Amino acid sequence: MKCGSMTAPNNQHHTLAAAHVRHHPLFKGVDDAAFEQLYSRCQLLSFETHEIILHSKTERESLLLILNGTVEVFVQGAAVGKEEVLEILQTGDLIGLSSIADFLGEPVHIQTQHNVGVRSIEPTQCLDIPFDVLEQCWEDEEIRNYMLRQLAVRLKDVYASLAEQVYLAQRWGESEPFVRRVHDLMSSPVICAQSSDTIQHVARKMIDNNVSSVVVLEETRLAGIITESDLVRQMGTEIGNTQTQPSARSWMTPNPVTVNSDDYYYEALALFLTENIKHLPVIKDGQVVGMLTLSDLMRKKNRGLFDSIQTIEKADIAHLGRIKEAIYSVFANLLRDDLPVTHILEVLTTLYDRLVQHCLQLASETLKQKGLGGPPVPYCWLHMGSSGRAEQFMLTDQDHFLVYASVDHLDENDRHQAANYFSHLAETVVDYLQRAGFAKCKGNMMATNPDWRGPLSYWQQTLRQWALRATNNTLMQAHNFLAFRMVQGDQHLYEQFLQLIKEELKPSSIFLYRMAVLEKEHSVPTLDHPLRSLLRLGKKEIDLKKEALFPFHHALQILALHHGLYEGTPLDKMEHLVGKKVFTPSFKEELLYAYTGVMKIRMEHAWHQFNQKQPVSSRLPVSQLNYREKEDLRRALKTIRSLQQQMFIHFGM
């Protein structure tokens, strides 16, 4: 039994569908009279989004030709609600090819109660072609050849998919769960003390329970934490002190950093790195439920990350080159564990930011040794491009700029010294980043270039010049610049910088319009159907960066700027546009799926290229994509085209 609404054979839909399929290979060899007779025995079916077209136990008595729309073929898993999508079919594809054996009268070799189901994933229209119609056409050699090609292509795709699933099953079948939560890793019950307890009492609790930290409570509320290092440090300062019974309150670290019990292990790892701590109280519903230590995390995960973290923490100028290998080790493990793209990027962004901050600290110390002193005025070090969007996963070239506070209040000599200091700071940081693995930007979009370094007044002038002289080159520079993110610097200065951007861009609607016009020249491509690719008629190569990610980011950025958001990651911008009712929540989810899908493909292929010692490139031959990647990419490109069209509509294009 097929679902969907049947259309009467003599209405307008029937006429349009008949014209559409008249020259399809299944009917191409028959004359008009025979076609009318055959077509009258077919049925036109329409399906809404997510409607079942064929149930898994439906007996197949016909083929379905997709006239327009997209469907997915799925198999029901053993667990309730668990499904696996086997393939995606689109306009021109046939549903039910596996039933050709029944049509040909072949005996069943394997008795099974399982079959595949078919569901529409967008409004879809199909032509139901009964087997008796197919039988009448079967004598035509061209039709038999067409069906043979369809079956051969489908069989190849099925084998490729099966091989991939077997490989993954063998690779991961004995592995621990890929995504582990903090509550799976923490120690519980947590050892606690009251803030009024004596330090001797706290120390005794540590010894008796063989732990290196104790959570300090005030009644049931978390107040602080005392670790072994706290005890050693405080004992040194208390020597000679007349107080013999200090309380836990006087020795504890108040308001400690905590982690939620449902957070992922790598989110806890990020906290250990960024906060430079080794103990994390675990919170659930406002209460302390456990303790997580860095050593526990490394021991239980057992991915060799501890050495990587130590390398990042201890690298001096001579050993900055080791950091790249350490971060790549983390990336490889996250990718191997098949974690969500957004979480992989979050961890890597944390590590890369820490690397940059480390280089800034080393550079500051170097300048002091050279007699240049410290920063004469507050400054901000900002990244742009992929790092600014918090989506850098492998070291590429450097994209950054430097903003410092006004120097107008200084005399001419001091202004010169300030400019000299930030010039040397930029040169030193760029040198250290290069040693760590970041290549210099080929377009010289770095803080070492005076065009990308200056006080607030300079950046105000730059934005005004871009708005007045909006050439293609300045528009592309502006796109890169406006994907900014502060990595380190003075927060008050950053807020002034952000306010400056708002004031300059808010009245410049023509500037955003010109940015949108430029995107008209870079429309999102259509990835051809696998059949066309296999027959060497389709797109040979795709540049994931230029043809998918850039159109996505640029359209999203223009819309976000147009609706008052001047900073943030792609996820922040999507949430903002949902709040402004520019996007529906469902379209935001489609966008997120498209973005993470393209990023996952790019990550995996870039990592493969790196391991094969090939140049890492975003350009990929379509033949290197597996079937699932092709389908994910095709759907992603379609969604990104919709985003681009929404942006054009907003500007009346």
Side-chain angles (χ1 to χ4, degrees):
M1 175 182 176
K2 286 170 281 296
C3 304
S5 56
M6 257 183 270
T7 306
N10 59 353
N11 64 9
Q12 184 180 7
H13 292 288
H14 174 232
T15 303
L16 292 173
H20 184 71
V21 302
R22 175 66 186 90
H23 299 290
H24 188 275
L26 282 175
F27 300 104
K28 191 174 181 180
V30 301
D31 57 35
D32 290 342
F35 172 75
E36 287 294 334
Q37 186 268 331
L38 292 171
Y39 185 77
S40 66
R41 290 151 58 190
C42 301
Q43 294 178 340
L44 194 60
L45 301 177
S46 297
F47 303 89
E48 299 299 326
T49 303
H50 303 312
E51 188 174 355
I52 295 294
I53 295 174
L54 289 173
H55 289 284
S56 60
K57 296 183 179 181
T58 302
E59 291 187 10
R60 309 315 197 222
E61 299 174 346
S62 61
L63 296 178
L64 291 174
L65 171 64
I66 303 176
L67 301 181
N68 56 69
T70 308
V71 308
E72 59 185 10
V73 181
F74 65 92
V75 62
Q76 186 71 41
V80 176
K82 295 290 185 180
E83 295 177 351
E84 178 67 26
V85 176
L86 301 180
E87 60 179 342
I88 304 294
L89 302 178
Q90 295 184 316
T91 301
D93 284 335
L94 288 169
I95 303 172
L97 282 177
S98 60
S99 62
I100 291 295
D102 298 330
F103 163 73
L104 295 174
E106 288 295 312
V108 177
H109 298 286
I110 300 176
Q111 296 290 341
T112 178
Q113 295 181 340
H114 304 291
N115 205 341
V116 297
V118 182
R119 177 196 296 115
S120 61
I121 56 178
E122 63 181 4
T124 300
Q125 193 174 52
C126 298
L127 185 68
D128 182 74
I129 306 172
F131 281 161
D132 60 350
V133 170
L134 185 61
E135 184 176 8
Q136 194 166 335
C137 303
W138 197 251
E139 296 302 318
D140 189 315
E141 184 177 359
E142 288 189 11
I143 291 177
R144 294 200 303 274
N145 288 339
Y146 166 75
M147 293 299 296
L148 178 62
R149 288 194 300 271
Q150 290 281 308
L151 288 164
V153 170
R154 197 71 59 84
L155 182 62
K156 182 176 181 178
D157 285 339
V158 168
Y159 267 107
S161 178
L162 180 61
E164 185 178 1
Q165 294 300 318
V166 170
Y167 168 75
L168 290 174
Q170 291 177 344
R171 181 175 182 180
W172 298 112
E174 299 300 322
S175 177
E176 63 179 336
F178 302 144
V179 183
R180 301 193 69 180
R181 303 276 186 172
V182 167
H183 58 66
D184 297 323
L185 305 169
M186 70 184 187
S187 299
S188 181
V190 64
I191 306 304
C192 301
Q194 289 295 317
S195 61
S196 57
D197 290 344
T198 64
I199 284 300
Q200 288 84 349
H201 180 71
V202 172
R204 175 53 57 189
K205 278 202 167 188
M206 285 188 183
I207 295 170
D208 292 346
N209 293 280
N210 192 28
V211 295
S212 58
S213 64
V214 168
V215 169
V216 181
L217 304 178
E218 288 187 353
E219 295 184 354
T220 61
R221 183 184 64 84
L222 174 64
I225 185 172
I226 295 178
T227 66
E228 287 179 341
S229 60
D230 291 329
L231 291 178
V232 172
R233 183 177 63 254
Q234 291 288 356
M235 285 177 67
T237 61
E238 289 289 333
I239 293 176
N241 195 318
T242 57
Q243 184 180 2
T244 58
Q245 292 291 323
S247 67
R249 183 187 298 106
S250 63
W251 281 28
M252 72 182 185
T253 299
N255 303 316
V257 178
T258 62
V259 64
N260 290 320
S261 63
D262 289 332
D263 286 348
Y264 291 104
Y265 86 92
Y266 39 88
E267 294 177 281
L269 174 61
L271 285 174
F272 282 125
L273 288 173
T274 56
E275 302 296 336
N276 195 26
I277 55 178
K278 295 182 174 61
H279 300 81
L280 271 174
V282 182
I283 303 296
K284 182 176 183 180
D285 298 329
Q287 300 296 313
V288 182
V289 294
M291 178 62 71
L292 187 65
T293 67
L294 181 57
S295 57
D296 286 341
L297 193 67
M298 296 301 101
R299 182 173 63 253
K300 292 184 179 181
K301 192 58 191 170
N302 194 25
R303 284 296 194 191
L305 297 184
F306 188 75
D307 291 340
S308 301
I309 296 167
Q310 294 286 62
T311 301
I312 297 169
E313 290 291 313
K314 295 180 178 180
D316 55 18
I317 297 172
H319 298 95
L320 286 172
R322 296 180 180 177
I323 295 180
K324 175 180 176 179
E325 182 179 349
I327 295 179
Y328 277 18
S329 174
V330 174
F331 174 50
N333 288 322
L334 296 174
L335 197 63
R336 187 180 304 124
D337 282 356
D338 198 26
L339 299 177
V341 166
T342 52
H343 296 310
I344 293 177
L345 291 177
E346 185 178 349
V347 173
L348 295 179
T349 296
T350 298
L351 297 179
Y352 285 130
D353 283 358
R354 192 162 185 83
L355 164 58
V356 175
Q357 292 158 4
H358 191 56
C359 288
L360 280 163
Q361 180 183 354
L362 292 174
S364 178
E365 294 170 357
T366 299
L367 295 190
K368 286 180 181 178
Q369 293 169 5
K370 290 182 176 180
L372 293 176
V377 292
Y379 76 93
C380 295
W381 185 274
L382 298 103
H383 279 201
M384 51 186 171
S386 60
S387 180
R389 293 187 293 266
E391 67 175 25
Q392 189 169 61
F393 55 91
M394 295 182 72
L395 294 178
T396 54
D397 57 352
Q398 302 182 41
D399 274 324
H400 46 68
F401 61 97
L402 193 152
V403 179
Y404 55 89
S406 173
V407 292
D408 293 341
H409 62 288
L410 303 177
D411 60 35
E412 185 176 351
N413 183 59
D414 288 343
R415 286 199 299 271
H416 175 74
Q417 288 184 356
N420 184 57
Y421 177 88
F422 288 117
S423 174
H424 278 84
L425 178 68
E427 291 285 352
T428 309
V429 173
V430 166
D431 175 41
Y432 291 169
L433 288 175
Q434 189 175 22
R435 297 188 193 196
F438 282 102
K440 289 185 177 181
C441 176
K442 295 178 181 178
N444 203 20
M445 299 175 72
M446 302 182 295
T448 46
N449 182 345
D451 291 344
W452 294 97
R453 182 182 72 246
L456 283 173
S457 57
Y458 167 77
W459 289 108
Q460 183 179 44
Q461 182 183 5
T462 299
L463 285 167
R464 289 179 179 178
Q465 287 178 345
W466 284 347
L468 291 172
R469 302 177 58 188
T471 65
N472 283 5
N473 184 52
T474 57
L475 289 171
M476 292 306 295
Q477 285 184 337
H479 258 309
N480 204 38
F481 169 78
L482 289 168
F484 64 84
R485 184 173 57 85
M486 187 176 76
V487 177
Q488 182 165 301
D490 183 84
Q491 185 62 36
H492 178 64
L493 175 63
Y494 176 70
E495 290 171 1
Q496 289 180 301
F497 173 70
L498 191 59
Q499 184 61 33
L500 181 151
I501 292 177
K502 292 179 180 179
E503 291 173 356
E504 293 301 320
L505 289 185
K506 194 170 183 179
S508 300
S509 57
I510 187 65
F511 182 62
L512 296 181
Y513 175 80
R514 288 173 179 170
M515 294 178 83
V517 169
L518 183 60
E519 291 306 298
K520 270 283 189 181
E521 302 174 14
H522 303 90
S523 59
V524 182
T526 301
L527 191 65
D528 293 306
H529 190 271
L531 176 59
R532 291 179 57 80
S533 298
L534 290 169
L535 295 177
R536 300 173 183 263
L537 298 174
K539 187 174 178 66
K540 298 291 194 297
E541 189 177 64
I542 184 165
D543 190 321
L544 296 178
K545 190 174 180 179
K546 292 183 179 179
E547 297 182 280
L549 290 173
F550 276 3
F552 167 81
H553 288 306
H554 291 175
L556 189 62
Q557 182 161 281
I558 292 169
L559 285 171
L561 290 169
H562 185 64
H563 288 88
L565 184 66
Y566 301 92
E567 63 174 342
T569 66
L571 275 64
D572 296 329
K573 292 171 183 175
M574 284 187 270
E575 287 290 349
H576 178 77
L577 291 170
V578 170
K580 292 289 184 178
K581 301 192 183 305
V582 179
F583 295 162
T584 63
S586 61
F587 183 66
K588 176 245 178 181
E589 291 302 319
E590 291 176 23
L591 273 181
L592 181 60
Y593 182 84
Y595 168 59
T596 55
V598 175
M599 281 299 301
K600 187 65 176 289
I601 294 170
R602 189 171 176 225
M603 281 180 177
E604 291 177 341
H605 283 269
W607 187 242
H608 175 76
Q609 291 167 343
F610 175 78
N611 286 323
Q612 296 298 314
K613 303 188 184 306
Q614 300 171 355
V616 176
S617 171
S618 60
R619 299 181 69 88
L620 292 177
V622 176
S623 59
Q624 288 186 5
L625 301 173
N626 61 39
Y627 184 82
R628 177 59 60 81
E629 288 174 331
K630 289 177 187 175
E631 296 306 330
D632 286 347
L633 189 54
R634 183 180 294 109
R635 292 174 65 178
L637 291 174
K638 182 177 179 181
T639 302
I640 296 171
R641 281 197 301 276
S642 296
L643 170 64
Q644 199 176 57
Q645 286 300 318
Q646 283 201 36
M647 185 262 295
F648 292 149
I649 291 170
H650 265 75
F651 289 91
M653 297 181 191

Coordinates of all heavy atoms in Angstrom, one line a residue, residues 422-448:
F422 N 53.9 49.0 19.4 CA 52.9 48.1 18.8 C 53.4 47.5 17.5 O 53.1 46.4 17.1 CB 51.6 48.8 18.7 CG 50.9 49.0 20.0 CD1 50.6 50.3 20.4 CD2 50.5 47.9 20.8 CE1 50.0 50.5 21.6 CE2 49.9 48.1 22.0 CZ 49.6 49.4 22.4
S423 N 54.3 48.2 16.8 CA 54.9 47.7 15.6 C 55.8 46.5 16.0 O 55.8 45.5 15.3 CB 55.7 48.8 14.9 OG 56.4 48.2 13.8
H424 N 56.6 46.7 17.0 CA 57.5 45.6 17.5 C 56.7 44.5 18.1 O 57.1 43.3 17.9 CB 58.5 46.1 18.5 CG 59.7 46.9 17.9 ND1 59.7 48.2 17.6 CD2 60.9 46.4 17.6 CE1 60.8 48.5 17.1 NE2 61.6 47.5 17.1
L425 N 55.6 44.8 18.8 CA 54.8 43.7 19.3 C 54.2 42.8 18.2 O 54.3 41.6 18.3 CB 53.7 44.3 20.2 CG 52.7 43.3 20.8 CD1 53.4 42.4 21.8 CD2 51.4 44.0 21.3
A426 N 53.7 43.5 17.2 CA 53.1 42.7 16.1 C 54.2 41.9 15.4 O 54.0 40.7 15.1 CB 52.5 43.7 15.1
E427 N 55.4 42.5 15.1 CA 56.4 41.7 14.5 C 56.8 40.5 15.3 O 57.0 39.4 14.7 CB 57.7 42.6 14.3 CG 57.5 43.7 13.2 CD 57.5 43.2 11.8 OE1 57.8 42.0 11.6 OE2 57.2 44.0 10.9
T428 N 56.9 40.7 16.6 CA 57.4 39.6 17.4 C 56.3 38.5 17.5 O 56.6 37.3 17.4 CB 57.7 40.1 18.8 OG1 58.6 41.2 18.8 CG2 58.3 39.0 19.7
V429 N 55.0 38.9 17.7 CA 54.0 37.9 17.8 C 53.9 37.1 16.4 O 53.7 35.8 16.5 CB 52.6 38.5 18.1 CG1 51.5 37.5 18.0 CG2 52.7 39.2 19.5
V430 N 53.9 37.8 15.3 CA 53.9 37.1 14.0 C 55.0 36.1 13.9 O 54.8 35.0 13.4 CB 53.9 38.1 12.9 CG1 54.1 37.4 11.5 CG2 52.5 38.9 12.8
D431 N 56.2 36.5 14.3 CA 57.4 35.6 14.3 C 57.1 34.4 15.1 O 57.3 33.2 14.7 CB 58.6 36.3 14.8 CG 59.8 35.4 14.9 OD1 60.0 34.6 13.9 OD2 60.6 35.5 15.8
Y432 N 56.6 34.5 16.3 CA 56.4 33.4 17.2 C 55.2 32.5 16.7 O 55.3 31.3 16.8 CB 56.0 33.9 18.6 CG 57.2 34.5 19.3 CD1 57.0 35.2 20.5 CD2 58.5 34.5 18.8 CE1 58.1 35.8 21.2 CE2 59.6 35.1 19.4 CZ 59.4 35.8 20.6 OH 60.4 36.4 21.3
L433 N 54.2 33.1 16.1 CA 53.1 32.3 15.5 C 53.6 31.5 14.4 O 53.2 30.4 14.1 CB 52.0 33.2 15.1 CG 51.1 33.8 16.3 CD1 50.1 34.8 15.7 CD2 50.4 32.7 17.1
Q434 N 54.5 32.1 13.6 CA 55.1 31.4 12.5 C 55.9 30.2 12.9 O 55.9 29.1 12.4 CB 56.0 32.3 11.6 CG 56.4 31.7 10.3 CD 57.2 32.7 9.4 OE1 57.7 33.7 9.9 NE2 57.2 32.4 8.1
R435 N 56.7 30.4 14.0 CA 57.4 29.3 14.6 C 56.5 28.2 15.1 O 56.9 27.0 15.0 CB 58.3 29.8 15.8 CG 59.3 30.8 15.4 CD 60.2 31.1 16.6 NE 61.1 32.2 16.4 CZ 62.1 32.5 17.1 NH1 62.5 31.7 18.1 NH2 62.8 33.6 16.9
A436 N 55.3 28.6 15.5 CA 54.3 27.6 16.0 C 53.6 26.9 14.9 O 52.9 25.9 15.1 CB 53.3 28.2 16.9
G437 N 53.7 27.4 13.7 CA 53.1 26.7 12.5 C 52.1 27.5 11.7 O 51.6 27.1 10.7
F438 N 51.8 28.7 12.1 CA 51.0 29.6 11.4 C 51.8 30.3 10.3 O 52.7 31.1 10.6 CB 50.4 30.7 12.3 CG 49.2 30.2 13.1 CD1 49.4 30.0 14.5 CD2 47.9 30.1 12.6 CE1 48.3 29.6 15.3 CE2 46.9 29.7 13.4 CZ 47.1 29.4 14.7
A439 N 51.5 30.0 9.0 CA 52.2 30.7 8.0 C 51.8 32.2 7.9 O 50.7 32.6 8.4 CB 51.9 30.1 6.6
K440 N 52.6 33.0 7.4 CA 52.3 34.4 7.2 C 51.2 34.6 6.1 O 51.2 33.8 5.2 CB 53.5 35.2 6.8 CG 54.5 35.4 7.9 CD 55.7 36.4 7.5 CE 56.6 36.6 8.7 NZ 57.7 37.5 8.3
C441 N 50.3 35.5 6.3 CA 49.3 35.7 5.3 C 49.8 36.2 4.0 O 50.6 37.2 3.9 CB 48.3 36.8 5.9 SG 46.9 37.2 4.8
K442 N 49.5 35.5 2.9 CA 49.9 35.9 1.6 C 49.4 37.3 1.2 O 50.1 38.0 0.5 CB 49.5 34.8 0.6 CG 50.2 33.5 0.8 CD 49.7 32.4 -0.2 CE 50.3 31.1 0.1 NZ 49.8 30.0 -0.9
G443 N 48.2 37.6 1.7 CA 47.7 38.9 1.3 C 48.1 40.0 2.3 O 47.6 41.1 2.2
N444 N 49.0 39.7 3.3 CA 49.6 40.6 4.2 C 48.5 41.2 5.1 O 48.6 42.4 5.5 CB 50.4 41.7 3.5 CG 51.4 42.3 4.5 OD1 51.8 41.8 5.5 ND2 51.8 43.6 4.2
M445 N 47.4 40.5 5.4 CA 46.4 40.9 6.3 C 46.7 40.5 7.7 O 46.1 39.7 8.3 CB 45.0 40.4 5.9 CG 44.6 40.8 4.4 SD 43.1 40.1 3.8 CE 41.9 40.9 4.8
M446 N 47.8 41.2 8.2 CA 48.3 40.9 9.6 C 48.6 42.2 10.3 O 48.8 43.3 9.6 CB 49.6 40.0 9.5 CG 49.4 38.7 8.7 SD 50.9 37.8 8.7 CE 52.0 38.8 7.7
A447 N 48.8 42.1 11.6 CA 49.0 43.3 12.4 C 50.4 43.9 12.1 O 50.7 45.1 12.5 CB 48.9 43.0 13.9
T448 N 51.3 43.2 11.4 CA 52.6 43.7 11.0 C 52.4 44.8 9.9 O 53.3 45.6 9.7 CB 53.5 42.6 10.5 OG1 52.8 41.8 9.6 CG2 54.0 41.8 11.7

